[in-house]
Amino acid sequence: MLLQGEYFWREEEGVYTLAEGDEVHEEHLDGGSHGWYAQGVFKFSPKWRIGARYSQLYSPEDSGIDHDPYAVALMGDWSNSEFSRIRLQYNYEKVGEDLSDNQILLQYIMAIGAHAAHKY
């Protein structure tokens, strides 16, 4: 079982300038945001793995955004060899108060090129 996580934090101060036609809008930024993720991957046989991940972003207090987006992902994969893998993954993202996204991904991942078994 592999467990992994990360916490990040950002502070910013400055001026954001946006030109719309002849109008120029400036917004002063003074604040920050932070977030984290945690994930686990379990290899239950030599070729099969399952995993889950949760991530959360906390919006800056002075941004006017009163929603903290989050995402959840579930995956299962099968490794044919050390150089190829097929993965099925489901992602759910809650990006706004009334805005969410569901995704299903099917990936074929492969490595090509020089490695220890072949020098080319």
Side-chain angles (χ1 to χ4, degrees):
M1 176 84 168
L2 173 69
L3 295 174
Q4 182 176 339
E6 185 176 336
Y7 175 83
F8 57 90
W9 169 66
R10 179 183 73 176
E11 284 290 325
E12 59 187 353
E13 183 178 339
V15 177
Y16 176 71
T17 305
L18 178 64
E20 293 180 352
D22 293 336
E23 294 184 33
V24 175
H25 302 280
E26 287 189 349
E27 184 175 339
H28 295 274
L29 303 172
D30 186 14
S33 59
H34 64 280
W36 63 277
Y37 79 88
Q39 68 183 26
V41 177
F42 177 65
K43 188 173 186 176
F44 59 91
S45 80
K47 293 188 175 208
W48 288 93
R49 301 183 318 161
I50 58 173
R53 175 184 172 117
Y54 180 87
S55 57
Q56 176 91 44
L57 177 64
Y58 299 96
S59 302
E61 291 180 12
D62 61 350
S63 69
I65 300 171
D66 60 353
H67 176 73
D68 298 326
Y70 67 90
V72 177
L74 303 171
M75 74 88 178
D77 65 28
W78 176 74
S79 298
N80 181 44
S81 72
E82 60 192 287
F83 305 110
S84 67
R85 176 175 292 153
I86 297 174
R87 174 179 293 153
L88 180 63
Q89 183 170 324
Y90 168 74
N91 297 334
Y92 174 78
E93 297 178 1
K94 183 72 172 177
V95 293
E97 201 60 41
D98 296 322
L99 184 60
S100 62
D101 189 25
N102 291 287
Q103 305 166 359
I104 296 176
L105 296 96
L106 179 62
Q107 299 173 307
Y108 176 68
I109 305 161
M110 67 177 181
I112 57 176
H115 52 83
H118 304 283
K119 304 286 187 200
Y120 53 84

